[in-house]
């Protein structure tokens, strides 16, 4: 009988995002993420191939979050009002998620591009 899963991919990505925003990208390691979800780092490899794959998953989640925030700010009624609302929503998101902002708006290795897989 296989051992039960102790964590999910969603929990791993969320833990990575929390570490990213609190301490920056360099702190997002397999060991740190594993500790945050309550497993040892080697157990993460059952769900995530390597750190590059983990960073890609986090970046994809960050982009989806940002996209949802921007979409929610737009009403479609008045372009000028929407532009201001989108700008305010974007700025609020960037302040709430400084590590995520740095991840998606920095020049990064191609291996971390969420579109690469």
């Amino acid at each position: 009988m296989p051992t039960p899963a102790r964590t999910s991919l969603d929990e791993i990505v969320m833990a990575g995002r929390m570490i990213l925003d609190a301490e920056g990208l360099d702190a997002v390691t397999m060991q740190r993420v594993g500790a945050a979800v309550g497993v040892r780092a080697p157990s993460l490899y059952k769900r995530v191939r390597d750190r590059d794959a983990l960073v890609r998953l986090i970046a994809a989640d960050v982009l989806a979050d940002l996209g949802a925030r921007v979409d929610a700010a737009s009403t479609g009624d008045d372009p000028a009002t929407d532009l201001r609302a989108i700008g305010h929503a974007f700025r609020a998101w960037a302040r709430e998620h400084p590590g995520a902002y740095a991840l998606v708006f920095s020049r990064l290795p191609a291996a971390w591009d969420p579109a690469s897989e």
Side-chain angles (χ1 to χ4, degrees), residues 10 19 23 29 33 51 67 76 90 102 109:
D10 289 340
I19 294 166
E23 301 174 47
T29 64
V33 173
R51 183 172 185 261
F90 177 82

Side-chain angles (χ1 to χ4, degrees), residues 4-76:
R6 293 188 183 168
T7 189
S8 70
L9 188 58
D10 289 340
E11 290 173 324
I12 292 167
V13 170
M14 188 54 57
R17 283 195 62 178
M18 290 173 58
I19 294 166
L20 174 68
D21 282 332
E23 301 174 47
L25 185 57
D26 288 342
V28 179
T29 64
M30 298 301 269
Q31 289 80 12
R32 291 290 309 281
V33 173
V37 296
V39 301
R40 292 189 349 218
S43 295
L44 292 180
Y45 292 99
K46 295 174 186 173
R47 304 251 189 265
V48 181
R49 186 178 63 233
D50 55 20
R51 183 172 185 261
D52 288 344
L54 175 60
V55 173
R56 272 194 309 276
L57 289 168
I58 292 169
D61 191 63
V62 163
L63 291 171
D65 181 36
L66 175 57
R69 182 78 68 98
V70 168
D71 284 346
S74 176
T75 63

Side-chain angles (χ1 to χ4, degrees), residues 58-98:
I58 292 169
D61 191 63
V62 163
L63 291 171
D65 181 36
L66 175 57
R69 182 78 68 98
V70 168
D71 284 346
S74 176
T75 63
D77 295 334
D78 175 49
T81 302
D82 281 353
L83 185 58
R84 278 191 294 281
I86 289 169
H88 288 293
F90 177 82
R91 186 169 189 215
W93 178 87
R95 287 181 171 206
E96 291 168 23
H97 304 287

